Amino acid sequence: MTEEKPSESGNSQPVTCIKPQWDRHGLVHWNGIQNQKKSLNAQVVLLQPPLKVIPVIFLPGVMGTNLMSNKSARREDTIWRGDSMGAVYLKWAGKNGSRRRALLNPYTTKVDNRGDIDQTFHSPISDDGKLFPSRRKRGWGEVLSFSYGKFLSVFQGALLDDWQQDLVNYGTPSQGKGGILSQLVGRQLAVDNGAEISGESVMTRQELDHYRNFLLPLHVCGYNWLEDNKTSAAGLVACIDKVIDLYRHEHCYGMAFPAGQEKVILVTHSMGGLVARYASQIAGAQDKILGIVHGVIPDLGSPAAYRRMKVGAKQEGMAGAVLGNTAQELMPVLARAPAPLQLLPSTKYLNGAPWLTVEGGREDGSDITLPETKDPFGEIYLNKTLWYRLYEADIIDKDAAVIKNNWDEYSDLINKVVQRFIEKLDNQYHPNSYAFYGHKTGSDGKLSWKKITQVYTKKTDIKLPNNYREVLLPLHRAQVYHLASSSTPGDGTVPVESLSAIRQSSSIKSILATAVEHQGAYDVDSLKDILNRPALQFTLRAIVKMVKEVPVP
């Protein structure tokens, strides 16, 4: 752009403002400088963008990463691909337990980076391929596009918008007005949509001005959500190192930290928060992480993990059909998948108080409440005989040897992998953490097997809904139970009871309770829509707070 302004002598003085451009290595250059007559006293202004990088890495939740066969890379070997909800539904609806178990095997699958990527840009200057490496190289194809695609595009736009708006509007009436983050300056979240917040600290203009000195490329780290979260945490550590090396040596002008002290910011969804915490506090990555934002993390687990395994997910609509409508479809998969089992309620859930009731389950007609001794592993997860046990090794297999092998593998998994991960992660948080969760939607805070009929004489098999259970009794009798949820506040999957440890931890700088649902915790349509999304505002504000600790290069 060119504008005329008076010189000191009162003559018109041409000023040429030249915007930066980037080559494929992220290096800045300016084109369009032209010679002017000396008598014109012309000036050229080279508009300067930020140069130093602070990477942001997003971790999806359970089932949020695309998976493929680890035996080849042909497209027909796609196992779990979320390019659209309809495509996933058509692929999985109706598949029986045997087929699901064969496909969704933690030992024969790996992350698939070939998924669709949202190519919408929500900032004036593209982030795809020059300013930063391409979105695919940054891992965006690793996650379900229908779940995260639009969010990633909008979120990346928000991370870049303010300095870009100032740059492209230089010399116009809009100069200095900034972008979407400027509209969050001084904005309190506790008054929006019935939200509740502790550690409230509004964003200041000074903090935002400091933030504008940095580039924040958005990366994605998918992981195999079937295998042990400990393994995924090791993968995250490697991902962090890879991202740091990318900007240290290959792209842009380097990280915004002294050599050897480079850090990234993590933003997590659901189970991704467990992976991040393990990577940070146990796998040794803490010093490479500036801070973590946890969205709807199942901190102490959720009874929803019991419900899904025991009766399937039909009540969850189309998503339930994808997961598995019935226990016969879903239990065989989950029984050998460590990560989903690591979402079961821990011994600390409800401080060890019972969360599972069997109405009239005792011989004297009184209720059974579990766990009775603060040990859900022994009483529920490793119970081998009682009908309300978590795992039924014979649910799709009838051969005695196969059933025994099923149980042996499952019990080893619970004892050696699931319980160890849950206990080792207890009360482990990065010292610069922020968290938001849902507190308005009915969730499985507790579960109850309720009697729905009197004992009756069993003459013929009856067809029951998937969340009902027929329990055989002596003398050809039977009792029908229905698994009912307490529908306590939460996000529809994680109840607020699971967040008690986070609310008490001094490592959590700020906590927001807001009306988000679990799967859609990061849903957003546009930059403008962020102003309607307290969870997104909280996340962006937390990042600005983290960045204020980084000196301007």
Side-chain angles (χ1 to χ4, degrees):
M1 70 185 74
T2 302
E3 65 172 330
E4 301 289 329
K5 67 177 182 179
S7 66
E8 293 181 0
S9 62
N11 297 325
S12 179
Q13 180 185 42
V15 177
T16 302
C17 299
I18 302 179
K19 300 174 185 177
Q21 297 182 40
W22 289 263
D23 66 16
R24 62 189 181 89
H25 300 291
L27 301 179
V28 176
H29 60 278
W30 291 265
N31 293 336
I33 299 177
Q34 299 177 350
N35 291 329
Q36 297 277 0
K37 292 182 179 180
K38 185 176 181 180
S39 61
L40 294 178
N41 194 27
Q43 293 184 3
V44 172
V45 176
L46 304 182
L47 301 180
Q48 180 73 42
L51 298 176
K52 295 295 184 178
V53 170
I54 304 174
V56 178
I57 300 177
F58 176 72
L59 277 79
V62 63
M63 298 178 292
T65 301
N66 295 320
L67 300 179
M68 61 186 293
S69 169
N70 59 16
K71 297 179 180 179
S72 72
R74 295 178 301 171
R75 187 164 187 88
E76 57 265 30
D77 288 328
T78 295
I79 300 296
W80 182 266
R81 176 76 64 77
D83 294 341
S84 71
M85 184 62 179
V88 177
Y89 177 81
L90 290 174
K91 181 178 178 68
W92 287 97
K95 276 190 168 56
N96 62 29
S98 296
R99 187 61 180 149
R100 287 170 179 268
R101 182 170 64 182
L103 291 171
L104 295 173
N105 184 336
Y107 305 109
T108 61
T109 50
K110 65 179 181 180
V111 174
D112 183 357
N113 66 357
R114 303 169 300 172
D116 282 356
I117 293 174
D118 190 304
Q119 291 297 336
T120 307
F121 298 101
H122 294 271
S123 56
I125 300 170
S126 167
D127 63 276
D128 189 24
K130 287 192 175 181
L131 176 62
F132 303 137
S134 71
R135 291 179 171 185
R136 187 164 300 281
K137 187 171 183 179
R138 284 182 281 139
W140 289 29
E142 295 181 1
V143 295
L144 275 62
S145 182
F146 77 79
S147 292
Y148 299 114
K150 184 175 290 187
F151 156 70
L152 292 174
S153 290
V154 174
F155 190 51
Q156 178 66 93
L159 293 172
L160 302 175
D161 190 44
D162 272 70
W163 70 261
Q164 291 196 6
Q165 291 293 346
D166 284 348
L167 190 149
V168 300
N169 291 317
Y170 184 88
T172 74
S174 297
Q175 180 182 347
K177 292 184 178 180
I180 189 64
L181 291 181
S182 294
Q183 298 182 56
L184 302 183
V185 170
R187 183 166 183 160
Q188 292 185 337
L189 303 186
V191 298
D192 293 336
N193 298 327
E196 302 169 5
I197 193 167
S198 61
E200 171 79 282
S201 177
V202 299
M203 184 197 306
T204 67
R205 176 60 59 181
Q206 183 180 14
E207 289 170 337
L208 181 55
D209 288 343
H210 179 84
Y211 170 89
R212 284 174 172 155
N213 290 293
F214 304 97
L215 295 169
L216 281 82
L218 179 60
H219 288 248
V220 173
C221 182
Y223 55 92
N224 189 337
W225 46 269
L226 295 167
E227 65 185 0
D228 186 3
N229 280 319
K230 176 182 176 180
T231 302
S232 297
L236 174 58
V237 175
C239 178
I240 291 171
D241 288 339
K242 182 178 179 181
V243 169
I244 289 174
D245 284 344
L246 174 65
Y247 295 103
R248 179 194 287 161
H249 300 301
E250 298 180 32
H251 201 89
C252 204
Y253 290 88
M255 300 277 288
F257 304 87
Q261 301 177 36
E262 295 92 342
K263 300 176 187 288
V264 303
I265 293 169
L266 302 183
V267 176
T268 76
H269 180 222
S270 186
M271 192 174 74
L274 305 184
V275 175
R277 285 172 53 201
Y278 200 98
S280 170
Q281 302 308 108
I282 300 171
Q286 178 178 307
D287 291 342
K288 297 178 182 179
I289 299 171
L290 183 61
I292 305 177
V293 181
H294 292 296
V296 294
I297 184 174
D299 181 51
L300 299 177
S302 171
Y306 172 93
R307 173 181 55 78
R308 284 178 171 175
M309 184 153 169
K310 194 65 179 174
V311 302
K314 186 174 183 179
Q315 284 68 36
E316 299 177 41
M318 183 180 288
V322 170
L323 292 172
N325 278 329
T326 66
Q328 286 79 6
E329 292 177 357
L330 192 50
M331 188 184 293
V333 174
L334 299 182
R336 66 174 181 187
L341 292 172
Q342 287 162 344
L343 299 177
L344 287 163
S346 74
T347 56
K348 297 290 186 68
Y349 185 78
L350 294 180
N351 292 316
W355 52 265
L356 179 64
T357 298
V358 182
E359 186 180 54
R362 300 188 187 280
E363 291 185 1
D364 63 1
S366 61
D367 294 345
I368 298 172
T369 56
L370 301 169
E372 294 181 306
T373 61
K374 300 185 178 182
D375 178 22
F377 290 92
E379 297 179 46
I380 305 171
Y381 312 152
L382 288 172
N383 187 305
K384 194 175 181 179
T385 58
L386 298 174
W387 66 265
Y388 48 78
R389 65 194 183 276
L390 179 64
Y391 178 48
E392 299 165 49
D394 61 346
I395 193 162
I396 62 172
D397 298 302
K398 303 309 173 186
D399 181 82
V402 173
I403 294 169
K404 181 181 184 304
N405 185 67
N406 288 348
W407 177 261
D408 290 343
E409 290 183 352
Y410 167 80
S411 59
D412 277 351
L413 193 61
I414 293 291
N415 279 315
K416 299 177 182 179
V417 178
V418 175
Q419 186 169 4
R420 288 181 185 178
F421 177 88
I422 291 173
E423 292 178 348
K424 201 162 188 178
L425 197 60
D426 180 43
N427 205 33
Q428 298 280 349
Y429 308 95
H430 187 279
N432 190 21
S433 294
Y434 295 74
F436 72 83
Y437 63 92
H439 72 325
K440 294 291 186 181
T441 305
S443 308
D444 296 329
K446 296 182 179 180
L447 294 170
S448 297
W449 287 103
K450 295 184 175 295
K451 293 181 178 181
I452 65 164
T453 66
Q454 297 297 319
V455 174
Y456 67 95
T457 301
K458 181 174 175 58
K459 295 181 179 178
T460 59
D461 291 333
I462 58 174
K463 187 173 179 61
L464 296 171
N466 70 307
N467 58 336
Y468 284 64
R469 182 64 180 249
E470 183 185 53
V471 179
L472 301 180
L473 300 173
L475 304 176
H476 302 287
R477 298 178 302 156
Q479 173 73 63
V480 176
Y481 288 86
H482 167 228
L483 186 61
S485 170
S486 60
S487 295
T488 52
D491 61 28
T493 298
V494 179
V496 295
E497 291 91 338
S498 184
L499 284 303
S500 61
I502 277 186
R503 292 197 294 264
Q504 297 168 11
S505 174
S506 61
S507 296
I508 312 298
K509 303 302 182 185
S510 183
I511 306 171
L512 173 72
T514 186
V516 294
E517 294 191 355
H518 190 79
Q519 188 57 37
Y522 286 102
D523 280 357
V524 64
D525 292 324
S526 63
L527 289 182
K528 184 178 180 180
D529 190 37
I530 290 173
L531 300 178
N532 302 317
R533 309 280 185 169
L536 267 293
Q537 296 170 38
F538 176 86
T539 300
L540 290 164
R541 192 176 74 176
I543 291 173
V544 173
K545 297 288 182 181
M546 295 173 190
V547 170
K548 74 177 183 180
E549 306 299 329
V550 182
V552 175

